[in-house]
Amino acid sequence: MVHYHRYHHWRKGEPDEESQTLLMDWVSPGYYKKTRPKLFSLLLLSFLSLCFVLAPHLFGWSSTFSLLYSSQRENEGLAADTDGNSSLCSSISTGTLCCDRSSIRSDVCVMKGDVRTHSASSSVFVYGSRDQNSFTDFVSSVVEEEKEADNEVLQHEKVKPYTRKWETSVMDTIDELDLMARKDNPEKHHHCDVHHDVPAVFFSTGGYTGNVYHEFNDGLLPLYITSQHFNKKVVFVILEYHNWWFMKYGDILSQLSEYPPIDFSRDLKTHCFPEAIVGLRIHNELSVDSSLMEGNKSMVDFRNLLDRAYWPRISGLIRDEEREAQNEQKDSFSVSPESETLSKTTREKIVDDQLDKPKMVILSRNGSRAVTNEKLLVKMAEEIGFKVQVLSPDRTTELAKIYRALNSSDVMVGVHGAAMTHFMFMKPGCVFIQIIPLGTVWAAETYYGEPARKLGLKYIGYQIHIRESSLYEKYDKDDPVLRDPASLTRKGWQYTKSIYLDGQNVRLDLGRFRKHLDSAYRYSVSRMKKRPHHQSH
């Protein structure tokens, strides 16, 4: 954009038709032809020189006006749609920099051309071609060296590549990048340690990283949205890189890029790219808007990517279990042929029974928002006919194991919290029952309920009654904490967190909750009958 304005003003400084007519009059036969040609040349040369000397100032006004106009368009809501996936920077010229700041969630900048990193100064540069016009060469030779150095920077932007732009407290902790478009000097060699022939995507794994909801919502899903169209021909450059994060999500990253990621702050080499995207595009909570994606990709496509990412590890787990079973079988041969036969028959019966039973996974919590009568819940679910598995995932739990359990389940049950993010591991058409404690209705629906429906799950939101909350024992029955949670949550996050998230457990009314489990059981059995085979990993 800035390059265009510079060119535009230069064109306006060229002689127009009226100037050409005046020049013809000056050289017409007569008195002026004989006495004033030198004076005219001197005046013309002075005028052109003055224009070139003042050009940087004029260009600065042009750039300022351009930025003010862009800001006005943003304020008027005309610049782009609100999710940061506009076409403002979809097509830019080589050697230029374009930033889309229209989204409330994230800023995204695009650099195209000779892109080079300089981690020591937290900078990324893009170099454009120097104008070879003879007049420009003339001006470059007469402008002071200091002015020329200042004029090399065509555009300078600052970006924090994290997707919670509106949340000042966390954005203050995110490393900032300086992005600069510079005019290239053919006589100056720009050092490059590593040449890449594919684009780069810069993003941060700082902020709320460490919470599985934020790791997917603020990082992995936006990374998929931003990079999937490169078909793995892309390099990820990570700010605030964490080894544990890469170990945890390396399987997913391998489905988005076939190149090793770069630790921006620790890798002091100069990396060169033909293009760079700085920042990630984000749609909504745990979702992909297919109308904004190339090829109309959706959350189902993201889940299929997870399938490809985790299946090799799951296959390995299955092989390990088969070897272990074979070893146990060999041991049983040495004990008694009769016991081996009985064991084999029993195993076959168990397998047959399991194939006829829908599987329910309970995501168990320790500490706050725990189901205090969970054992009775498991017993009731088994009486209904479910095969029940209880999972208690934490930060160290291998995601492939969680994925395996939920990918083979028919129903998932859990209390509202970050672990509900794992609904994405379920197959579309399955049932997700979210237990909703007091004071969490809006968050439960916004962060998990609506996204689950978008994935194609049958979602059931079970809002507990006052008597099912441990807060019922702490507060008077007429206290706003019990009777009007919204009045407390409106006061801010700290109230919600301290009272409803950190200070509340759930004791389910099993008679009331059973109605939902009965419905989920009938639905799951009906789905199983429609499938030719019910297989469990």
Side-chain angles (χ1 to χ4, degrees), residues 471-489:
L471 298 178
Y472 184 75
E473 305 297 329
K474 298 180 182 180
Y475 296 89
D476 183 82
K477 63 179 182 179
D478 295 322
D479 194 291
V481 168
L482 301 178
R483 295 299 178 184
D484 189 14
S487 66
L488 273 297
T489 58

Side-chain angles (χ1 to χ4, degrees), residues 1-4 6 89 91-99 109-116 124-131 151-157 179-185 190 273-276:
M1 179 181 292
V2 175
H3 178 72
Y4 169 78
R6 288 172 178 263
C89 298
S91 178
I92 64 174
S93 302
T94 300
T96 58
L97 160 63
C98 174
C99 288
C109 295
V110 179
M111 309 174 82
K112 186 176 181 181
D114 184 4
V115 180
R116 294 165 184 262
V124 185
F125 303 98
V126 61
Y127 291 93
S129 300
R130 183 179 290 277
D131 189 354
N151 206 32
E152 284 183 358
V153 179
L154 304 179
Q155 188 175 354
H156 184 185
E157 303 282 352
L179 311 182
M180 282 178 260
R182 289 182 175 273
K183 189 176 280 188
D184 193 17
N185 185 346
H190 300 293
F273 303 94
E275 182 181 349

Side-chain angles (χ1 to χ4, degrees), residues 211-494:
N211 176 293
V212 68
Y213 165 80
H214 290 287
E215 287 165 3
F216 274 93
N217 185 72
D218 303 341
L220 294 170
L221 268 165
L223 185 61
Y224 170 77
I225 291 168
T226 306
S227 67
Q228 60 84 30
H229 67 283
F230 289 122
N231 296 317
K232 300 173 71 171
K233 302 297 182 180
V234 61
V235 175
F236 297 140
V237 184
I238 304 176
L239 283 72
E240 299 171 81
Y241 181 97
H242 302 286
N243 286 323
W244 67 263
W245 182 88
F246 180 72
M247 292 294 293
K248 185 175 182 178
Y249 294 113
D251 291 336
I252 297 177
L253 263 64
S254 69
Q255 296 300 313
L256 292 172
S257 170
E258 58 187 38
Y259 303 91
I262 296 171
D263 180 349
F264 182 77
S265 61
R266 292 187 180 90
D267 189 337
L268 300 180
K269 299 185 186 73
T270 298
H271 291 265
C272 303
F273 303 94
E275 182 181 349
I277 298 176
V278 183
L280 301 178
R281 297 182 175 94
I282 180 171
H283 292 168
N284 212 324
E285 310 302 329
L286 294 178
S287 62
V288 176
D289 187 340
S290 59
S291 68
L292 300 170
M293 296 290 288
E294 183 177 302
N296 294 320
K297 293 286 180 24
S298 66
M299 273 298 292
V300 174
D301 293 289
F302 178 73
R303 194 202 167 280
N304 292 339
L305 180 143
L306 296 180
D307 222 22
R308 296 191 298 272
Y310 290 125
W311 179 244
R313 172 59 178 154
I314 292 173
S315 298
L317 291 172
I318 294 173
R319 286 193 297 269
D320 291 343
E321 291 171 1
E322 289 176 345
R323 281 194 294 268
E324 186 177 341
Q326 289 173 358
N327 292 333
E328 290 178 356
Q329 191 176 35
K330 290 179 182 178
D331 293 340
S332 66
F333 279 136
S334 62
V335 175
S336 165
E338 292 80 5
S339 63
E340 186 279 326
T341 303
L342 180 62
S343 176
K344 183 177 180 181
T345 303
T346 302
R347 283 200 304 273
E348 289 176 349
K349 184 177 185 303
I350 292 173
V351 169
D352 290 339
D353 288 344
Q354 290 178 351
L355 289 176
D356 292 334
K357 289 184 176 183
K359 177 181 175 182
M360 186 176 88
V361 172
I362 298 175
L363 289 182
S364 179
R365 293 183 61 93
N366 295 317
S368 66
R369 282 165 287 152
V371 176
T372 57
N373 55 345
E374 186 177 275
K375 290 183 179 179
L376 292 176
L377 170 62
V378 171
K379 182 179 179 181
M380 182 178 71
E382 290 175 339
E383 289 174 351
I384 290 173
F386 284 108
K387 174 180 177 289
V388 181
Q389 180 178 0
V390 178
L391 286 179
S392 300
D394 57 32
R395 293 183 181 182
T396 63
T397 305
E398 187 178 355
L399 282 181
K401 294 180 179 179
I402 302 175
Y403 189 88
R404 180 187 179 189
L406 290 172
N407 183 57
S408 62
S409 71
D410 299 285
V411 179
M412 180 180 107
V413 176
V415 182
H416 169 71
M420 296 301 95
T421 305
H422 296 116
F423 77 78
M424 294 186 297
F425 294 1
M426 300 184 72
K427 294 177 181 176
C430 293
V431 181
F432 168 31
I433 303 176
Q434 181 177 202
I435 299 169
I436 306 174
L438 300 180
T440 66
V441 174
W442 179 88
E445 170 63 21
T446 302
Y447 298 139
Y448 305 111
E450 184 177 351
R453 294 189 194 94
K454 290 179 180 178
L455 180 59
L457 300 181
K458 181 178 176 60
Y459 172 71
I460 298 173
Y462 177 82
Q463 295 185 36
I464 69 170
H465 284 169
I466 295 174
R467 290 179 178 271
E468 293 176 272
S469 172
S470 62
L471 298 178
Y472 184 75
E473 305 297 329
K474 298 180 182 180
Y475 296 89
D476 183 82
K477 63 179 182 179
D478 295 322
D479 194 291
V481 168
L482 301 178
R483 295 299 178 184
D484 189 14
S487 66
L488 273 297
T489 58
R490 279 195 294 266
K491 291 184 177 181
W493 168 248
Q494 289 304 321

Side-chain angles (χ1 to χ4, degrees), residues 68-190:
L68 288 174
Y69 179 67
S70 297
S71 177
Q72 180 183 0
R73 284 177 58 83
E74 290 175 11
N75 291 335
E76 292 174 354
L78 300 175
D81 49 38
T82 58
D83 55 33
N85 284 272
S86 69
S87 58
L88 286 180
C89 298
S90 60
S91 178
I92 64 174
S93 302
T94 300
T96 58
L97 160 63
C98 174
C99 288
D100 179 1
R101 302 185 185 275
S102 61
S103 172
I104 192 175
R105 292 175 176 266
S106 66
D107 291 331
V108 179
C109 295
V110 179
M111 309 174 82
K112 186 176 181 181
D114 184 4
V115 180
R116 294 165 184 262
T117 63
H118 190 260
S119 58
S121 63
S122 296
S123 301
V124 185
F125 303 98
V126 61
Y127 291 93
S129 300
R130 183 179 290 277
D131 189 354
Q132 298 301 315
N133 186 286
S134 59
F135 285 110
T136 303
D137 295 337
F138 168 74
V139 173
S140 297
S141 67
V142 298
V143 175
E144 297 176 13
E145 185 175 335
E146 182 176 277
K147 294 290 185 182
E148 182 181 21
D150 291 340
N151 206 32
E152 284 183 358
V153 179
L154 304 179
Q155 188 175 354
H156 184 185
E157 303 282 352
K158 291 181 178 290
V159 176
K160 293 186 175 184
Y162 190 62
T163 56
R164 299 189 79 80
K165 172 182 167 182
W166 78 94
E167 197 167 347
T168 305
S169 59
V170 70
M171 292 302 289
D172 286 342
T173 70
I174 302 298
D175 289 348
E176 187 173 61
L177 284 176
D178 283 292
L179 311 182
M180 282 178 260
R182 289 182 175 273
K183 189 176 280 188
D184 193 17
N185 185 346
E187 297 179 358
K188 184 177 180 181
H189 174 69
H190 300 293

